[in-house]
Amino acid sequence: MSSVAVLTQETFNAHRSGLLPEQAAVAGPSAGEDEEALPTYKEAFPPLPEKAAQPEGTQETSSAWASKIRPLKSSIITQVFHVPLEERKYKDINQFGEGDQAKVCVDIMHKTGAHLELSLAKDQGLSIMVSGKLDAVMKARKEIVSRLQTQASASVGIPKEHHRFVIGKNGEKLQELELKTATKIQIPRPDDLSNQIKISGTKEGLEKAKHEILLISAEQDKRAVERVNIEKAYHPFITGAYNKLVGEMMQETGARINVPPQSVNKTEIVITGEKEQVALAVTKIKKVYEDKKKNTTTIAVEVKKSQHKYVIGPKGNTLQEILDRTGVSVEIPPSDSSSETVILRGEPDRLGQALTEVYAKANSYTVSSVSAPSWLHRFIIGKKGQNLAKITQQMPKVHIEFTEGEDKITLEGPIKDVQMVQGQIEAMVTDLVSRMDYAEISVDPKFHRHLIGKGGVNINRIKEVHKVTVRIPPDNEKSNLIRIEGDPQGVQEAKKELLELASRMENERTKDLIIEQRFHRAIIGQKGEKIKEVRDKFPEVIINFPDPAQKSDIVQLRGPRTEVEKCSKFMNKIVAEMVENSYSVSVPIFKQFHRNIIGKGGSNIKKIREETNTKIDLPAENSNSEMIVITGKKANCEAARTRILAIQKDLANISEVDVSIPSKLHNSLIGSKGRLVRSIMEECGGVHIHFPTEGSGIDKVTIRGPAEEVEKAKQQLLALAEEKQTKSHTVELHAKPEYHKFLIGKGGGNIRKVRDSTGARIIFPTPEDKDQELITVVGTEEAVRDAQKELEELIKSLDNVVEDTMNVDPKHHRYFVARRGQVLRDLADEYGGVMVSFPRTASQSDKVTLKGAKECVEAAKKRMQEIVEDLEAQVTMECVIPQKFHRSIMGPKGSRIQQITRDHNVQIKPAVSDGEVKEPVDPNAPKKCDVIIISGRKERCEAAIEALKALVPVTIEVEVPFELHRYIIGQKGSGIRKMMEDFEVNIQVPAPEQQSDKIAITGLASLLDRAKEGLLERVKELQAEQEDRALRSFKLTITVDPKYHPKIIGRKGAIITNIRTEHDVNIQFPEKNDENQDQITITGYEHKAIAARDAIQAIVDELEEMISEDITLDSRVHARIIGARGKGIRKIMDEFKVDLRFPQSGAADPNLVTVTGRPELVDEAIDHLLNLEEEYMADVVENEAKMAYMRPSGSSAAAADEQRGPSKGFVVREAPWATANEKAPDMSSSEDFPSFGAPVATKASPWGPKRF
């Protein structure tokens, strides 16, 4: 054996007790020291004590192991704290809701993270069980003491210089002390001369804190400190009754003696002071201890657990009294122990007296009970315990206990007092039974919270009005029984009211609407205006919106069933409108086509709006904007946009042309604020010319519009570009804005003449331009000069104002001045602002005055003569059309009549009845109500009559099989409504009871053929659908073992979804309760169903060929094979096309892995897994070897090593290996000293069976 250092018994004990090397005197004996000095094996490694039953209340036999080895602690601990009744801060019991006490506990749980459970002891003390991590439990304990227990205060004086040691570094020691003792410790500031430390908390906590502070002071005191270990049982003899003896000792010796309180399980008594004083005090304490240990004996007596508190007395006073009288210490087992054994320790001749006093105290109290129905208990107690308080004040020693659910009251206390209290309570019970009653009603638990009301408002009102107590069971009981107690009349009235409330609620309904949260604010409106309108409309419905922070889409409606349904529909309608208005798109459409897109009477635009479910806004007629804005759902907006563009394309043959113009000319072609290019677009029928972004360097310019206009614009743009490249000249002229229309002329005729004759381009200002008088002339210098000359002459002539007259028959004056002079306003706009004045009506003059520019006056005069000629030639004609067709002819808002009026320049109005019903002279004469009067030129009136007659609807019948009628009508009439809108006709389907095959179509003759074709086409589609439906309903079943079903379905249904999609079939697996668990049903076209069946059968055939093999893989490498989030195992399964199953935790064989798949693939996968195991096991073994040689880190260990020098082990005598002639155990061997978690083969050893 190699040379080793020897460890003595003293140094070994010092090491085991946790002392640092500098605290323990380590002496290394020389190699020649006598072998007897070596410790034995049992001394160095004491055996674990055998577990043996010991009497409760006695201390376990201490052993070297018991006091030296620290037990492993769970990270979660549980402690129970008890708050006596007299120290409880909250003593009242609330009937409804949570009391302050419960709220405080919830707050403590949130603040500390610990879990609290409250229970009420029979003595009305509060037991609190706290679970959680040590730190959380200690914090919770401090909070419990400060918030649930009444506080006391004390102060302790220690030298000022010791205060900093109580505080500790960064206040850590003080915080630890406060947590440990559950007190609040206030240390005076450094500038405060006081040395008193104030402590507040419970009495027990004050004692502990005071003891700990004095210990700290004693440790820091430069005077002597002595610690004496005295058995806890003898501490009462050292302190004496009421601490008299220890006080006398401190007075005699002058030393400070700190004896730990009974609640602290410490045996160490600390004495501080001068050395002589300390030595004297230690001598006295040891003398008392030895004397009492020698002369005292013990007796154990059995006292009922319930009587222990009478022996202890209030705050332990009875125990002190017995000790004072008899000199005997009475040891009571802890309250959490079930033992009833009380041990008396003292001199033999005094034990009898003490025993007598113990029994006298235990039996001085009696327990009695009073019979009282449990529902009367709260009335006996009174509000906030007032009734009970009167009794307990008179008889404070009597404890009264009420047990919920039991019809009795338990009394505990002195015999005479109990008898008096019993008489009082019995009298109260008799009185209450005679004048109190109760009733029970059954109400569905879902209505309980509504009966209670918000904050208990409903139930509290009922209780106050009827002077009753109402007990509604809590939600966790799931009981429907409500109990009413109190005055008989009040009970009956409260019962009636509660039943009425419950009946009303049963008729109520709660409905949740799913409304996207983004719409909530819009529905509520600014300051709740919109939701107020809804609530006013449905006053009986309560509408609750979720808190915005919850991000919930659920809006709750509650109220009468019918009203809730109506409100739900109304709210859904509001939301639908908002959804429709949530997306918009702008479509540029040539202004001249807006009328066509609107259609006759708005029919086209209405049709598009309804079919696409969008809102379409067109610019005002006097606006220059060409943008049509579509609002609604995105898909619907796109559909409406496509249809509008299609109308434009059909009408105008829209084409698109790209023209190449050098990018450097683009700005000059566009002109200032786009005036030049805008003039080309307006001149060429409003084509759209798109130039690329400035600076892009792209030469391509896009022109879009009607084919002819696009070509025209292209030529003008190229010509203008050529002019710009050669030589361009610009001149600006000014003319009054009212002259511009006259200069341009009707349809641009005047300005076109100037342009054609000179070749210059003339640009007029737009309404957006600031300078409305500016006219720009662009072109070659010569062309601009000529155009300028012509325009200046025209403007000059317009400035030459003249006045002229003409004769107009007075009967025609009304036409010109009607509608607030609309005709005169149109003349002024068209002819340079010419003013036309008609004579007063009373003058009967035919002279009309015209004032303005000469050319304008002449043109206006000519136009007025044309109007007069038309009026002179006007005739009135009658058109007879049955009155029942008049509404159809007029169209929406009279749009069709207005269109005919505009197209034919006539006036149309129905015949006016004279108010008297007369028999017609001619029976063949038309009815007055059927006559429509048309006024205008004869040829125009005739054309208008033809147009009106063309609008008279005609009816035809179409043969459609009766069984298809319901499909033509569609869901809620949507199908037939769509056809009527598409073909602009009325379609009438006969009633089902008629069983008719005839469908009537009514509409304009020109539209009937198209409508008939559309209806017959729909019939063909429906017949084809019927045939297809029959073909798709083919059904077949396939029998497959249920164990293969998950594989056929695949992960998240991937495989079965793929088969369904690929073959366009429906595949149904059996339900859990289905008898035929092996039947899979396939529905679809016959050939596709067969193909799907074959696909499933192929999967089953492949699965049946698979095999499963079990292999043994060391469980330590499983995690590495599986990989992070299963990445590794998925890779293996994908690569080898196999399925791997690893054992669950707690499996019988943790090393067993199952591989499933085709035989050849399974073999390959097993080889791969075994190779991985071999590779990973090398790492595992290497890591374990490293761990075996690793030394504990830390500066303290390093310091100890330096002081001890190089370690050589230690020698012991009588070791097991020495007696068995075996070598000493090899500390580097993983077999002799295995690491945790590593399996080691069991082998016989002189050490005995291994315990791992």
Side-chain angles (χ1 to χ4, degrees), residues 959-976:
E959 190 90 17
V960 176
F962 172 73
E963 63 270 12
L964 298 180
H965 286 191
R966 62 194 185 98
Y967 299 112
I968 288 170
I969 294 169
Q971 191 174 11
K972 295 182 180 179
S974 59
I976 197 164

mmCIF file of all heavy atoms in Angstrom, residues 959-976:
data_model
loop_
_atom_site.group_PDB
_atom_site.id
_atom_site.type_symbol
_atom_site.label_atom_id
_atom_site.label_comp_id
_atom_site.label_asym_id
_atom_site.label_seq_id
_atom_site.Cartn_x
_atom_site.Cartn_y
_atom_site.Cartn_z
ATOM 1 N N GLU A 959 -92.295 25.829 -72.203
ATOM 2 C CA GLU A 959 -92.489 24.489 -71.634
ATOM 3 C C GLU A 959 -91.230 24.099 -70.837
ATOM 4 O O GLU A 959 -90.133 23.989 -71.394
ATOM 5 C CB GLU A 959 -92.713 23.488 -72.770
ATOM 6 C CG GLU A 959 -93.152 22.110 -72.300
ATOM 7 C CD GLU A 959 -94.669 21.992 -72.208
ATOM 8 O OE1 GLU A 959 -95.372 22.829 -72.793
ATOM 9 O OE2 GLU A 959 -95.114 21.062 -71.531
ATOM 10 N N VAL A 960 -91.409 23.905 -69.516
ATOM 11 C CA VAL A 960 -90.292 23.507 -68.635
ATOM 12 C C VAL A 960 -90.801 22.398 -67.719
ATOM 13 O O VAL A 960 -91.830 22.568 -67.053
ATOM 14 C CB VAL A 960 -89.801 24.704 -67.781
ATOM 15 C CG1 VAL A 960 -88.719 24.237 -66.811
ATOM 16 C CG2 VAL A 960 -89.282 25.813 -68.672
ATOM 17 N N PRO A 961 -90.131 21.212 -67.655
ATOM 18 C CA PRO A 961 -90.585 20.113 -66.792
ATOM 19 C C PRO A 961 -90.806 20.600 -65.346
ATOM 20 O O PRO A 961 -89.973 21.341 -64.803
ATOM 21 C CB PRO A 961 -89.436 19.094 -66.874
ATOM 22 C CG PRO A 961 -88.786 19.384 -68.191
ATOM 23 C CD PRO A 961 -88.906 20.844 -68.411
ATOM 24 N N PHE A 962 -91.895 20.146 -64.738
ATOM 25 C CA PHE A 962 -92.279 20.621 -63.405
ATOM 26 C C PHE A 962 -91.205 20.337 -62.355
ATOM 27 O O PHE A 962 -90.955 21.158 -61.458
ATOM 28 C CB PHE A 962 -93.606 19.947 -63.004
ATOM 29 C CG PHE A 962 -93.996 20.226 -61.574
ATOM 30 C CD1 PHE A 962 -94.474 21.484 -61.213
ATOM 31 C CD2 PHE A 962 -93.872 19.251 -60.593
ATOM 32 C CE1 PHE A 962 -94.819 21.749 -59.894
ATOM 33 C CE2 PHE A 962 -94.212 19.519 -59.284
ATOM 34 C CZ PHE A 962 -94.693 20.766 -58.931
ATOM 35 N N GLU A 963 -90.500 19.182 -62.448
ATOM 36 C CA GLU A 963 -89.517 18.829 -61.417
ATOM 37 C C GLU A 963 -88.300 19.771 -61.409
ATOM 38 O O GLU A 963 -87.512 19.791 -60.446
ATOM 39 C CB GLU A 963 -89.057 17.368 -61.576
ATOM 40 C CG GLU A 963 -88.337 17.043 -62.879
ATOM 41 C CD GLU A 963 -89.308 16.600 -63.986
ATOM 42 O OE1 GLU A 963 -90.551 16.772 -63.798
ATOM 43 O OE2 GLU A 963 -88.818 16.091 -65.002
ATOM 44 N N LEU A 964 -88.148 20.554 -62.487
ATOM 45 C CA LEU A 964 -87.002 21.485 -62.539
ATOM 46 C C LEU A 964 -87.363 22.887 -62.038
ATOM 47 O O LEU A 964 -86.474 23.742 -61.922
ATOM 48 C CB LEU A 964 -86.469 21.594 -63.979
ATOM 49 C CG LEU A 964 -85.923 20.312 -64.612
ATOM 50 C CD1 LEU A 964 -85.448 20.581 -66.026
ATOM 51 C CD2 LEU A 964 -84.788 19.737 -63.782
ATOM 52 N N HIS A 965 -88.647 23.108 -61.763
ATOM 53 C CA HIS A 965 -89.070 24.465 -61.361
ATOM 54 C C HIS A 965 -88.324 24.964 -60.126
ATOM 55 O O HIS A 965 -87.884 26.103 -60.074
ATOM 56 C CB HIS A 965 -90.575 24.487 -61.102
ATOM 57 C CG HIS A 965 -91.374 24.435 -62.372
ATOM 58 N ND1 HIS A 965 -92.738 24.671 -62.414
ATOM 59 C CD2 HIS A 965 -91.020 24.157 -63.662
ATOM 60 C CE1 HIS A 965 -93.171 24.539 -63.669
ATOM 61 N NE2 HIS A 965 -92.129 24.205 -64.424
ATOM 62 N N ARG A 966 -88.169 24.092 -59.100
ATOM 63 C CA ARG A 966 -87.541 24.556 -57.858
ATOM 64 C C ARG A 966 -86.061 24.912 -58.058
ATOM 65 O O ARG A 966 -85.529 25.793 -57.374
ATOM 66 C CB ARG A 966 -87.679 23.513 -56.743
ATOM 67 C CG ARG A 966 -87.034 22.175 -56.979
ATOM 68 C CD ARG A 966 -87.533 21.156 -55.964
ATOM 69 N NE ARG A 966 -86.852 19.871 -56.090
ATOM 70 C CZ ARG A 966 -85.831 19.491 -55.341
ATOM 71 N NH1 ARG A 966 -85.377 20.300 -54.402
ATOM 72 N NH2 ARG A 966 -85.262 18.307 -55.501
ATOM 73 N N TYR A 967 -85.403 24.240 -59.027
ATOM 74 C CA TYR A 967 -83.995 24.578 -59.296
ATOM 75 C C TYR A 967 -83.906 25.905 -60.050
ATOM 76 O O TYR A 967 -82.945 26.662 -59.889
ATOM 77 C CB TYR A 967 -83.324 23.470 -60.112
ATOM 78 C CG TYR A 967 -83.309 22.138 -59.388
ATOM 79 C CD1 TYR A 967 -84.075 21.058 -59.843
ATOM 80 C CD2 TYR A 967 -82.545 21.956 -58.242
ATOM 81 C CE1 TYR A 967 -84.074 19.840 -59.183
ATOM 82 C CE2 TYR A 967 -82.532 20.739 -57.570
ATOM 83 C CZ TYR A 967 -83.303 19.687 -58.043
ATOM 84 O OH TYR A 967 -83.297 18.496 -57.385
ATOM 85 N N ILE A 968 -84.901 26.193 -60.900
ATOM 86 C CA ILE A 968 -84.922 27.466 -61.639
ATOM 87 C C ILE A 968 -85.168 28.626 -60.668
ATOM 88 O O ILE A 968 -84.528 29.680 -60.771
ATOM 89 C CB ILE A 968 -85.994 27.426 -62.750
ATOM 90 C CG1 ILE A 968 -85.519 26.505 -63.877
ATOM 91 C CG2 ILE A 968 -86.287 28.826 -63.290
ATOM 92 C CD1 ILE A 968 -86.550 26.186 -64.909
ATOM 93 N N ILE A 969 -86.076 28.394 -59.706
ATOM 94 C CA ILE A 969 -86.336 29.435 -58.693
ATOM 95 C C ILE A 969 -85.076 29.681 -57.866
ATOM 96 O O ILE A 969 -84.710 30.822 -57.608
ATOM 97 C CB ILE A 969 -87.516 29.023 -57.785
ATOM 98 C CG1 ILE A 969 -88.811 28.973 -58.612
ATOM 99 C CG2 ILE A 969 -87.666 29.977 -56.603
ATOM 100 C CD1 ILE A 969 -89.976 28.339 -57.893
ATOM 101 N N GLY A 970 -84.373 28.616 -57.482
ATOM 102 C CA GLY A 970 -83.138 28.744 -56.709
ATOM 103 C C GLY A 970 -83.397 28.987 -55.245
ATOM 104 O O GLY A 970 -84.542 29.134 -54.800
ATOM 105 N N GLN A 971 -82.300 29.055 -54.464
ATOM 106 C CA GLN A 971 -82.396 29.259 -53.030
ATOM 107 C C GLN A 971 -82.936 30.647 -52.727
ATOM 108 O O GLN A 971 -82.359 31.644 -53.130
ATOM 109 C CB GLN A 971 -81.017 29.086 -52.376
ATOM 110 C CG GLN A 971 -81.082 29.019 -50.856
ATOM 111 C CD GLN A 971 -79.726 28.713 -50.261
ATOM 112 O OE1 GLN A 971 -78.725 28.754 -50.944
ATOM 113 N NE2 GLN A 971 -79.694 28.413 -48.981
ATOM 114 N N LYS A 972 -84.078 30.683 -52.032
ATOM 115 C CA LYS A 972 -84.749 31.943 -51.677
ATOM 116 C C LYS A 972 -85.029 32.809 -52.901
ATOM 117 O O LYS A 972 -84.990 34.034 -52.840
ATOM 118 C CB LYS A 972 -83.923 32.723 -50.653
ATOM 119 C CG LYS A 972 -83.787 32.012 -49.310
ATOM 120 C CD LYS A 972 -83.008 32.848 -48.323
ATOM 121 C CE LYS A 972 -82.885 32.118 -46.988
ATOM 122 N NZ LYS A 972 -82.101 32.900 -46.008
ATOM 123 N N GLY A 973 -85.255 32.154 -54.057
ATOM 124 C CA GLY A 973 -85.614 32.888 -55.271
ATOM 125 C C GLY A 973 -84.454 33.547 -55.972
ATOM 126 O O GLY A 973 -84.653 34.349 -56.900
ATOM 127 N N SER A 974 -83.202 33.206 -55.571
ATOM 128 C CA SER A 974 -82.040 33.880 -56.160
ATOM 129 C C SER A 974 -81.881 33.557 -57.648
ATOM 130 O O SER A 974 -81.502 34.429 -58.442
ATOM 131 C CB SER A 974 -80.768 33.487 -55.399
ATOM 132 O OG SER A 974 -80.581 32.080 -55.459
ATOM 133 N N GLY A 975 -82.181 32.314 -58.032
ATOM 134 C CA GLY A 975 -81.989 31.909 -59.438
ATOM 135 C C GLY A 975 -82.909 32.664 -60.384
ATOM 136 O O GLY A 975 -82.463 33.232 -61.393
ATOM 137 N N ILE A 976 -84.201 32.671 -60.065
ATOM 138 C CA ILE A 976 -85.163 33.324 -60.969
ATOM 139 C C ILE A 976 -84.977 34.842 -60.941
ATOM 140 O O ILE A 976 -85.153 35.529 -61.958
ATOM 141 C CB ILE A 976 -86.612 32.928 -60.595
ATOM 142 C CG1 ILE A 976 -87.550 33.247 -61.761
ATOM 143 C CG2 ILE A 976 -87.067 33.620 -59.314
ATOM 144 C CD1 ILE A 976 -88.885 32.560 -61.641
#
